[in-house]
Amino acid sequence: MVFTVTTGKGGVGKTNIVGNLAVTCQRMGKRVLIFDADLGLANIDIIFSITPKYTI
Ligand SMILES: Nc1ncnc2c1ncn2[C@@H]1O[C@H](COP(=O)(O)OP(=O)(O)O)[C@@H](O)[C@H]1O
Ligand SMILES: [Mg+2]
């Protein structure tokens, strides 16, 4: 299953939606991979308090 979350504007809540969706799916027993394709201001790492090994 693939979900794409996108908007034409920054700062509208994509990262928060994706983070909560990921946690919800994981709690349902799914394995989850998040790809933050925001080239300018990717910040999914911040809400999970992690330091990514790789960036784009
Ligand atoms: N449902 C919400 N209610 C209030 N503030 C929110 C909500 N969703 C996100 N925010 C706040 O808005 C800002 C941008 O959210 P973020 O998820 O990083 O947006 P995006 O990924 O679209 O740039 C953050 O400061 C976040 O805490
Ligand atoms: Mg974001």
Side-chain angles (χ1 to χ4, degrees), residues 1-40:
M1 197 180 305
V2 177
F3 295 109
T4 301
V5 179
T6 184
T7 62
K9 185 179 183 307
V12 294
K14 291 179 297 295
T15 295
N16 278 266
I17 289 283
V18 168
N20 283 304
L21 191 59
V23 170
T24 301
C25 288
Q26 193 267 336
R27 285 181 182 166
M28 290 168 66
K30 305 291 184 192
R31 295 183 69 214
V32 178
L33 171 72
I34 301 175
F35 178 75
D36 192 339
D38 188 332
L39 295 175

